[in-house]
Amino acid sequence: MPTTEENSQKERNKALIRSFIEEVLNEHNLLSIEKYFSKDFIEGSPPQAGKGGEGFKQFLTEFFEAFPDMHTTVEHIVGENNLVTVFLNGSGTHKGVFKGVPPTNQQVNIRSADLYRIENGVITGHWEVIDQLNLLKQTGSLLSESTGKEFKDARVVWIRDYA
């Protein structure tokens, strides 16, 4: 049976992730990343894997330029020991170039499952699985299976980076 202190720590960890999502992902305040990430932060998700907080910040900079009105909602959040798993649902408009895909002005919905490791009140690691195939379909970057056509070259690179 978890102790009161263990439950309290899980709640603090979940609150940290909720705050991070609101301040960084919803308010697009990239300067706050330093407040949430440790200096030895590990990014485990391609294509930023191993690039730490700066790699994550660079990715989000490009992402927010492409989807300037992106807003993320927490669907589920679970904490266990020093780990927090969160299922996210983001929506926005594709208004800028992203990974070689020109703007389509299409509304998109992006779902992900993220795992955060927390030590001493800061995020020390992050891993995620993103429904990138659905994003590519929504922006018209991936041709429908019914057309029988190949992927557009510039748009395959992003999906290949995650393989």
Side-chain angles (χ1 to χ4, degrees):
M1 190 74 154
T3 66
T4 304
E5 176 56 31
E6 288 170 333
N7 284 334
S8 179
Q9 185 61 49
K10 290 176 192 177
E11 291 307 312
R12 284 192 300 270
N13 288 348
K14 290 191 299 185
L16 175 75
I17 298 305
R18 285 184 192 276
S19 178
F20 165 75
I21 289 166
E22 186 58 35
E23 192 168 345
V24 175
L25 299 184
N26 286 334
E27 295 174 12
H28 302 191
N29 183 352
L30 299 181
L31 296 176
S32 292
I33 286 177
E34 295 173 15
K35 173 171 96 175
Y36 290 99
F37 288 1
S38 69
K39 293 194 184 323
D40 58 350
F41 168 81
I42 295 171
E43 175 56 56
S45 301
Q48 297 81 243
K51 296 180 181 174
E54 281 306 310
F56 192 74
K57 189 184 293 185
Q58 180 182 351
F59 170 79
L60 286 179
T61 298
E62 294 171 9
F63 188 78
F64 292 148
E65 287 173 2
F67 304 96
D69 60 345
M70 182 58 63
H71 186 270
T72 302
T73 303
V74 173
E75 290 185 340
H76 305 285
I77 188 166
V78 178
E80 184 65 33
N81 299 321
N82 67 335
L83 301 173
V84 174
T85 301
V86 61
F87 289 85
L88 301 174
N89 191 344
S91 60
T93 310
H94 183 208
K95 294 188 175 192
V97 175
F98 185 67
K99 301 294 184 185
V101 179
T104 62
N105 292 311
Q106 294 290 321
Q107 277 293 123
V108 299
N109 180 268
I110 303 167
R111 300 189 76 211
S112 71
D114 297 71
L115 176 66
Y116 294 91
R117 183 178 60 220
I118 300 167
E119 303 285 342
N120 301 315
V122 292
I123 301 168
T124 60
H126 172 250
W127 299 263
E128 70 182 350
V129 177
I130 300 173
D131 184 4
Q132 62 193 340
L133 184 59
N134 192 41
L135 175 61
L136 292 171
K137 286 181 179 180
Q138 291 175 75
T139 60
S141 303
L142 185 63
L143 298 178
S144 167
E145 294 85 1
S146 64
T147 66
K149 295 183 181 176
E150 295 292 320
F151 297 129
K152 297 177 183 176
D153 290 340
R155 294 162 184 149
V156 175
V157 174
W158 186 49
I159 201 167
R160 190 176 54 230
D161 285 347
Y162 280 86

